[in-house]
């Protein structure tokens, strides 16, 4: 019993000698003297060191990173810094961030190179290596890459090529070397569209009237929308203004693009129609005419027509445009009617005879044809007209004689072998009257144009 007590006493004394002191000589509690001191994030002994960094906690099981290397810091790593990370290769990174802590060339952020290793610890091998070749995405698999999608690789990649020629990587019909077609697409990726193809000049048709603006032209291999091939529009802001447009005279707009604010056809028609109507409303005096036949008074005759009156009936007026916008072909058909007197004397078989007749001729259809040219000015127009006449009926066939036998006179003149008859005299007289009417129409229409064609 004494022996056991002795051993217990020695043990208790030994334990008391090895116990951690609760306070230092100044009466301040030592770090680690109380449970929880080494993980309470407090500086319990007020020496500026906390928890496991304080020498008082080095023996605590909470501080398993005791200073096993006996250097100046409290951690167990081989460096002299204050942290407890182990960086075996000295590259600045420790495991697990460093995926190979025995190779100083391998660490997060290192350049990836073609060596079959994960140099930058991103769990990928040889990805985007600095010493690799650049390859480009080839989505459409046409053999040409997209310069906007490069990738570094140690060798060829599926879906990638080593060139940057593709300008549309979603269309395998578009890449260098493809022939251009007329479609407003750069098929061969040379920065030009539809180059080398035959082109036509097209002009803007902003108003959609089918006529182009000569000041707005482009070359194209196909008709662009809103453009035409002609340059005939004089106002591409108005669909009412174009060649063939309906001209409204004196409104300040050239609707038919002939360069004038005047409807030439209307002016010509009005001038002719109103003048013909005026002329037809009057009776006209026809100058006297006379002549001799044969060798009168020895053999032959003499005749005269006088007191003749003319009036015109009906009218058929046709104007036809020519290649000149201000010139029109004119056809006027009218009936001429005349009456008057004829005296004739003739010598036959030593006998002299005299006759007097009342003549009624007509209607004789007569055509007056030619041209009219309209001359425009700022506030009026004039005209120049040329007409010739042609009898469409036989005047003598519609001439009636009262008081004489026309057939007898013609028989006598024929027997005398004279190359003339009273019938031909009637025809000649009517033809001369037709010429005079043509002159009358020319003069009257030209004078009337200036009075008719104005604002």
């Amino acid at each position: 019993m004494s022996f056991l007590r002795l051993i217990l006493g020695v043990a208790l004394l030994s334990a008391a000698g090895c116990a951690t002191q609760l306070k230092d000589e100044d009466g301040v509690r030592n770090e680690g003297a109380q449970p929880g001191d080494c993980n309470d994030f407090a500086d319990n002994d007020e020496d500026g060191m906390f928890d496991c960094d304080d020498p008082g906690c080095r023996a605590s099981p909470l501080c398993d990173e005791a200073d096993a290397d006996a250097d100046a810091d409290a951690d167990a790593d081989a460096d002299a810094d204050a942290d407890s990370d182990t960086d075996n290769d000295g590259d600045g990174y420790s495991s697990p961030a460093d995926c190979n802590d025995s190779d100083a060339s391998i660490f997060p952020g290192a350049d990836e190179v073609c060596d079959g290793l994960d140099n930058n610890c991103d769990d990928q091998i040889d990805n985007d290596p600095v010493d690799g070749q650049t390859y480009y995405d080839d989505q459409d698999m046409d053999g040409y890459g997209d310069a906007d999608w490069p990738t570094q690789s140690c060798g060829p990649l599926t879906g990638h090529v080593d060139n940057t020629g593709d300008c549309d990587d979603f269309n395998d019909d578009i890449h260098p070397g493809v022939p251009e077609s007329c479609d407003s697409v750069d098929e061969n990726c040379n920065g030009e569209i539809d180059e080398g193809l035959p082109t036509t000049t097209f002009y803007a048709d902003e108003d959609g009237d089918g006529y182009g603006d000569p000041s707005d032209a482009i070359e194209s291999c196909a008709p662009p929308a809103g453009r035409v091939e002609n340059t005939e529009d004089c106002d591409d802001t108005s669909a009412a203004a174009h060649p063939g447009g309906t001209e409204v005279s004196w409104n300040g707009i050239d609707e038919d693009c002939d360069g004038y604010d005047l409807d030439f056809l209307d002016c010509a028609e009005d001038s002719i129609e109103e003048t013909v109507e005026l002329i037809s409303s009057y009776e006209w005096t026809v100058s006297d005419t006379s002549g001799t036949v044969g060798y009168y008074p020895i053999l032959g005759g003499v005749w005269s027509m006088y007191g003749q009156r003319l009036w015109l009936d009906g009218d058929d007026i046709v104007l036809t445009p020519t290649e000149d916008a201000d010139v029109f072909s004119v056809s006027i058909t009218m009936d001429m009617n005349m009456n008057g007197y004829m005296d004739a004397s003739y010598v036959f078989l030593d006998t002299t005879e005299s006759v007097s007749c009342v003549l009624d001729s007509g209607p004789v259809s007569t055509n007056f044809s030619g041209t009219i040219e309209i001359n425009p000015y700022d506030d009026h127009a004039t005209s120049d007209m040329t007409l010739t006449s042609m009898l469409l009926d036989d005047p003598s066939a519609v001439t009636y004689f009262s008081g004489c036998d026309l057939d007898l006179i013609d028989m006598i003149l024929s027997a005398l072998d004279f190359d003339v008859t009273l019938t031909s005299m009637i025809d000649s007289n009517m033809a001369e009257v037709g010429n005079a009417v043509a002159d009358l129409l020319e003069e009257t229409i030209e004078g009337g144009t200036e009075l008719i064609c104005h604002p």
Side-chain angles (χ1 to χ4, degrees):
M1 177 70 69
S2 300
F3 177 73
L4 292 176
R5 288 195 184 108
L6 177 62
I7 292 175
L8 178 60
V10 172
L12 290 172
L13 289 172
S14 298
C18 294
T20 301
Q21 295 181 348
L22 297 177
K23 294 184 180 180
D24 62 15
E25 57 193 19
D26 295 325
V28 179
R29 190 182 77 191
N30 290 322
E31 195 80 41
Q34 295 291 335
D37 280 356
C38 295
N39 63 352
D40 62 358
F41 303 100
D43 183 10
N44 297 300
D45 57 5
E46 301 178 2
D47 63 354
M49 292 183 286
F50 295 78
D51 295 346
C52 292
D53 289 332
D54 193 300
C57 288
R58 291 175 183 171
S60 171
L62 296 174
C63 299
D64 58 358
E65 295 178 350
D67 190 9
D69 53 5
D71 60 7
D73 56 38
D75 57 30
D77 60 13
D79 56 23
D81 58 15
D83 62 54
S84 59
D85 296 332
T86 300
D87 180 12
N88 295 319
D89 55 11
D91 59 7
Y93 295 87
S94 60
S95 179
D98 193 336
C99 55
N100 187 344
D101 204 25
S102 63
D103 189 335
S105 67
I106 297 177
F107 54 85
D111 288 337
E112 191 77 23
V113 296
C114 293
D115 58 2
L117 301 175
D118 179 12
N119 305 93
N120 57 13
C121 296
D122 64 353
D123 296 327
Q124 299 185 63
I125 296 176
D126 295 347
N127 61 305
D128 202 19
V130 296
D131 60 346
Q133 182 176 348
T134 304
Y135 291 87
Y136 302 90
D137 198 15
D138 183 15
Q139 289 285 330
D140 55 15
M141 304 298 290
D142 60 4
Y144 295 87
D146 185 345
D148 292 333
W149 294 92
T151 299
Q152 294 294 113
S153 175
C154 298
L157 295 174
T158 301
H160 292 72
V161 293
D162 60 1
N163 65 76
T164 60
D166 209 333
C167 55
D168 184 347
D169 203 30
F170 296 96
N171 188 334
D172 61 2
D173 290 326
I174 297 178
H175 57 76
V178 174
E180 284 287 318
S181 58
C182 187
D183 56 4
S184 299
V185 175
D186 179 16
E187 282 97 347
N188 59 14
C189 295
N190 67 348
E192 299 182 47
I193 295 177
D194 299 344
E195 77 280 1
L197 301 175
T199 62
T200 301
T201 304
F202 294 92
Y203 302 89
D205 181 18
E206 294 292 338
D207 55 15
D209 59 6
Y211 297 88
D213 179 357
S215 67
D216 188 345
I218 65 170
E219 292 290 321
S220 178
C221 57
R227 290 185 175 269
V228 294
E229 293 186 43
N230 68 74
T231 60
E232 299 175 5
D233 208 335
C234 58
D235 184 354
D236 204 31
T237 64
S238 172
H242 56 77
T246 301
E247 185 70 44
V248 179
S249 298
W250 318 115
N251 69 344
I253 302 173
D254 180 15
E255 286 93 349
D256 59 5
C257 291
D258 62 3
Y260 301 98
D261 183 19
L262 172 65
D263 188 327
F264 289 99
L265 180 59
D266 278 353
C267 177
E269 287 179 340
D270 291 346
S271 297
I272 294 173
E273 290 173 359
E274 293 187 28
T275 299
V276 168
E277 183 179 357
L278 176 67
I279 291 176
S280 299
S281 66
Y282 291 96
E283 280 191 1
W284 301 86
T285 299
V286 179
S287 300
D288 297 343
T289 182
S290 61
T292 60
V293 178
Y295 307 102
Y296 185 84
I298 300 173
L299 181 66
V302 61
W303 59 272
S304 64
M305 295 182 184
Y306 58 93
Q308 300 178 96
R309 309 284 293 179
L310 169 71
W311 67 96
L312 303 168
D313 283 334
D315 58 81
D316 181 15
I317 302 171
V318 177
L319 272 73
T320 304
T322 68
E323 61 182 10
D324 298 317
D326 55 349
V327 178
F328 302 89
S329 295
V330 179
S331 174
I332 306 171
T333 302
M334 306 177 70
D335 290 337
M336 295 195 303
N337 300 275
M338 281 201 321
N339 59 26
Y341 304 93
M342 183 183 75
D343 290 342
S345 297
Y346 58 90
V347 176
F348 180 67
L349 299 177
D350 296 328
T351 301
T352 299
E353 296 288 342
S354 295
V355 295
S356 294
C357 305
V358 177
L359 305 179
D360 285 297
S361 299
V364 177
S365 180
T366 307
N367 178 255
F368 305 92
S369 62
T371 60
I372 182 171
E373 179 179 1
I374 304 299
N375 308 306
Y377 295 90
D378 289 341
D379 57 355
H380 70 283
T382 63
S383 66
D384 295 313
M385 191 164 197
T386 302
L387 292 174
T388 58
S389 65
M390 182 175 67
L391 303 180
L392 304 180
D393 292 328
D394 180 3
S396 60
V398 290
T399 298
Y400 303 94
F401 298 83
S402 299
C404 60
D405 188 341
L406 181 62
D407 293 335
L408 176 61
I409 297 174
D410 281 346
M411 182 185 68
I412 295 172
L413 292 174
S414 177
L416 294 174
D417 201 23
F418 292 128
D419 189 21
V420 65
T421 63
L422 284 178
T423 300
S424 65
M425 297 174 193
I426 296 296
D427 293 344
S428 176
N429 182 58
M430 188 64 77
E432 290 183 10
V433 171
N435 292 335
V437 172
D439 293 340
L440 175 65
L441 287 169
E442 288 179 2
E443 181 180 352
T444 309
I445 291 172
E446 288 177 352
T449 298
E450 188 167 358
L451 299 176
I452 295 168
C453 299
H454 62 82

